[in-house]
Amino acid sequence: MSVASTHQYANNSQHDTSINRHPAINKNIWLSRSLISKSLNSNTNNSRFFSTSKILNDEQNPSTNFRGYDLSDSECNVPPNIVSRLGRNLHLQPKHPLNTIKTIIEEYWQKRSGESKSITFATRDDLDPIVATHDNFDSLLIEPDHVSRSKSDTYYLNPQTVLRTHTSAHQTTLLKEGEDRFLVTGDVYRRDEIDASHYPIFHQMEGVRMFNDDDFASLMFTSNSDGDVKNLTEEEKFKIVENDLKNGLEGMVRELFGDVEMRWGEDYFPFTDPSFELEIYFNDEWLEVLGCGVVHQDIVKAVGRGNQPGWAFGLGLERLAMILFSIPDIRLFWSDDQRFHSQFESGEIVTFQPYSKYPPCFKDISFWTDNGDDNGESDSDVDKSMSAFHPNDFNEIVRDIAGDLVERVELIDEFVHPKTNRVSNCFRISYRSMDRSLTNEEIDALQERVRDVSVSKLGVELR
């Protein structure tokens, strides 16, 4: 059995490498998606990871029922490889880099609360990632036609139920339950591109603090103000909330990164107004680390809290961990290789030491994505109704077939036929295992499966 070579397997010479991959276009949820943008439970069999034969078996024989949801239903777009990882909870595994970051942040906010029990933050890290579509989108003022709602971006179990795309999905529920200060951490799910910093499952933390008159009185006392809370205007209250948010987050960043230079910028999120992003100067470059803002008053009113002011922030744990631990590939967080986990047993932030670098194997695939003009000629026998192509749909097929053996999927060329206006894409798939060399035979088998499934599920015409 020969080792897979690094040569390119191109299907058509018309394609070149002149085009970049599609940029991420969904920025409705804090900053973690565009920036990123995992060890398994000790009692969980992780043989699927990097096992080609198991990947093929799982893809060809998936279970069609999950917690009462029919995965074969036409309204469901949750594939078996995503279902298999629900409940892994990497953020709860002691000494895992994600758990270390989570712990540092939680301890910071509790420490900032000081001795006052009245402003202790509740920590919620075990909430179900299966949520109502309404809670994930509508309750947070995300427009019905927002791109993040599309099935190319979000995993739907049915039209009324999704895998949460952000931990903010629990915000209104907790506010209705009377929680005034809370930190929510959990796994979130989004269909996305494939590269070293993007993964369909990652982990977020959201913080929320609502303010009452006692909070304002405490903050005014701390600032040596002689003012009476009753004399504060609404504008003054919201400015106090904004200042407390920024001061708190700057302190949190120093807890993680040390004494770094920071800068604030204005941003937009549907559920906060005003909204901000925080950047730090770290390792000789400016990096966005989180998004935040004052909780939108329409949300506050909808949960029955009148015009009570408050703030919220959100961040991605993988994003921070990759920077702080110098972890080069997001797939490593899911590894059960002790060469990875043994490096973090101290539970402290340490620099990751790479233990292997096996060669990649490149395979190209070219296909027509649509049928062009009505009078254009085509020899395709595929279903003509399946012409609404989206790169994320192709990425999902590749990931579901090849699992974590796929390192990157890149659009390297797009060609429009001058007569028929048909669009052709060429994608380059980089296969690479982080614990062994791959063979030509196993990669050829995966690539052939990718080709077949792309035709049957996407309706594309191979070139």
Side-chain angles (χ1 to χ4, degrees):
M1 187 175 289
S2 59
V3 174
S5 65
T6 59
H7 70 277
Q8 298 169 2
Y9 181 82
N11 293 315
N12 193 291
S13 60
Q14 281 185 294
H15 289 285
D16 58 38
T17 59
S18 60
I19 193 167
N20 293 324
R21 67 178 183 273
H22 290 300
I25 58 175
N26 174 9
K27 199 185 179 186
N28 69 298
I29 316 301
W30 300 127
L31 296 174
S32 51
R33 180 185 191 185
S34 59
L35 294 171
I36 324 186
S37 199
K38 299 171 175 165
S39 155
L40 306 179
N41 292 327
S42 58
N43 61 349
T44 302
N45 182 0
N46 192 26
S47 59
R48 178 168 170 55
F49 193 78
F50 296 145
S51 172
T52 308
S53 60
K54 186 66 163 63
I55 288 170
L56 289 173
N57 288 337
D58 282 357
E59 199 280 333
Q60 293 167 358
N61 301 289
S63 172
T64 59
N65 186 280
F66 175 71
R67 290 173 55 177
Y69 296 98
D70 183 3
L71 302 182
S72 65
D73 190 282
S74 61
E75 298 287 354
C76 177
N77 66 344
V78 183
N81 73 304
I82 296 298
V83 171
S84 70
R85 300 202 173 188
L86 279 163
R88 298 291 174 84
N89 295 328
L90 303 186
H91 61 290
L92 298 180
Q93 298 181 24
K95 309 300 175 65
H96 190 287
L98 301 183
N99 179 263
T100 297
I101 300 297
K102 168 182 176 288
T103 300
I104 292 173
I105 294 174
E106 288 179 343
E107 290 179 349
Y108 164 78
W109 286 106
Q110 302 299 10
K111 180 173 61 176
R112 187 172 185 265
S113 300
E115 300 300 323
S116 175
K117 299 297 184 182
S118 64
I119 57 174
T120 298
F121 281 77
T123 56
R124 305 294 294 272
D125 54 19
D126 58 355
L127 298 175
D128 195 336
I130 298 176
V131 300
T133 304
H134 177 273
D135 292 341
N136 195 78
F137 295 119
D138 302 272
S139 71
L140 298 169
L141 311 180
I142 298 172
E143 296 293 334
D145 60 349
H146 196 284
V147 64
S148 65
R149 291 178 179 256
S150 73
K151 294 182 74 173
S152 292
D153 280 51
T154 294
Y155 291 108
Y156 284 84
L157 287 164
N158 58 43
Q160 295 77 38
T161 313
V162 300
L163 302 185
R164 64 186 172 204
T165 63
H166 50 172
T167 49
S168 304
H170 305 286
Q171 184 182 116
T172 57
T173 299
L174 292 174
L175 289 175
K176 288 177 182 178
E177 292 175 354
E179 295 285 2
D180 287 325
R181 292 158 296 276
F182 52 87
L183 299 169
V184 177
T185 309
D187 43 344
V188 299
Y189 300 77
R190 300 184 201 162
R191 305 181 87 208
D192 210 337
E193 59 193 290
I194 299 176
D195 59 31
S197 61
H198 290 80
Y199 204 78
I201 310 168
F202 57 102
H203 297 74
Q204 270 193 347
M205 175 181 282
E206 167 160 299
V208 173
R209 179 182 179 184
M210 304 302 292
F211 289 72
N212 55 37
D213 285 348
D214 289 339
D215 294 325
F216 285 116
S218 175
L219 289 171
M220 293 173 69
F221 176 79
T222 302
S223 63
N224 297 317
S225 171
D226 295 327
D228 190 329
V229 173
K230 295 180 180 178
N231 296 329
L232 287 175
T233 65
E234 292 301 307
E235 183 178 354
E236 288 173 330
K237 287 183 178 181
F238 280 97
K239 194 62 180 177
I240 290 173
V241 169
E242 178 184 326
N243 290 336
D244 182 72
L245 167 66
K246 290 182 175 180
N247 290 336
L249 290 175
E250 288 175 1
M252 183 192 76
V253 166
R254 291 189 188 95
E255 194 78 9
L256 290 165
F257 292 91
D259 191 14
V260 294
E261 185 179 354
M262 297 176 235
R263 66 185 183 191
W264 288 96
E266 294 184 357
D267 210 322
Y268 169 76
F269 305 107
F271 33 75
T272 53
D273 182 30
S275 303
F276 311 97
E277 65 179 14
L278 178 58
E279 295 182 324
I280 65 171
Y281 194 71
F282 188 75
N283 288 342
D284 299 322
E285 63 178 329
W286 284 100
L287 302 170
E288 297 169 293
V289 292
L290 58 85
C292 63
V294 176
V295 179
H296 200 294
Q297 280 297 288
D298 287 350
I299 292 177
V300 178
K301 292 174 183 176
V303 298
R305 287 176 173 255
N307 60 350
Q308 182 182 14
W311 54 245
F313 73 85
L315 53 84
L317 295 182
E318 279 86 350
R319 167 65 173 171
L320 298 181
M322 291 179 77
I323 296 171
L324 290 166
F325 291 92
S326 298
I327 295 173
D329 194 314
I330 196 169
R331 295 176 298 165
L332 281 165
F333 291 113
W334 289 96
S335 174
D336 62 350
D337 195 316
Q338 284 305 305
R339 291 175 294 177
F340 177 77
H341 292 286
S342 63
Q343 298 188 38
F344 310 111
E345 291 180 349
S346 65
E348 300 176 351
I349 296 176
V350 297
T351 300
F352 171 67
Q353 301 297 322
Y355 49 82
S356 64
K357 190 67 173 179
Y358 293 93
C361 178
F362 301 107
K363 299 288 184 180
D364 291 357
I365 177 172
S366 303
F367 46 73
W368 297 108
T369 65
D370 63 3
N371 299 309
D373 294 337
D374 291 339
N375 58 357
E377 296 182 1
S378 171
D379 296 328
S380 174
D381 293 327
V382 301
D383 184 351
K384 304 299 183 183
S385 66
M386 300 169 64
S387 60
F389 175 80
H390 193 288
N392 281 352
D393 297 328
F394 176 69
N395 291 336
E396 200 65 42
I397 285 174
V398 176
R399 199 188 294 276
D400 202 36
I401 292 174
D404 286 331
L405 288 178
V406 59
E407 179 178 62
R408 183 177 182 181
V409 174
E410 181 182 12
L411 178 66
I412 61 173
D413 183 55
E414 186 169 81
F415 168 74
V416 180
H417 195 285
K419 293 183 178 181
T420 65
N421 286 326
R422 298 186 74 196
V423 177
S424 174
N425 283 176
C426 180
F427 288 90
R428 176 157 297 154
I429 305 174
S430 301
Y431 297 94
R432 190 204 302 261
S433 169
M434 288 179 284
D435 63 355
R436 64 183 177 84
S437 292
L438 302 174
T439 66
N440 278 320
E441 290 82 357
E442 62 184 325
I443 297 306
D444 284 347
L446 291 174
Q447 185 72 2
E448 190 62 31
R449 184 67 178 156
V450 167
R451 291 166 61 84
D452 292 343
V453 175
S454 295
V455 172
S456 63
K457 288 192 175 183
L458 300 182
V460 299
E461 180 184 352
L462 296 176
R463 298 191 64 187

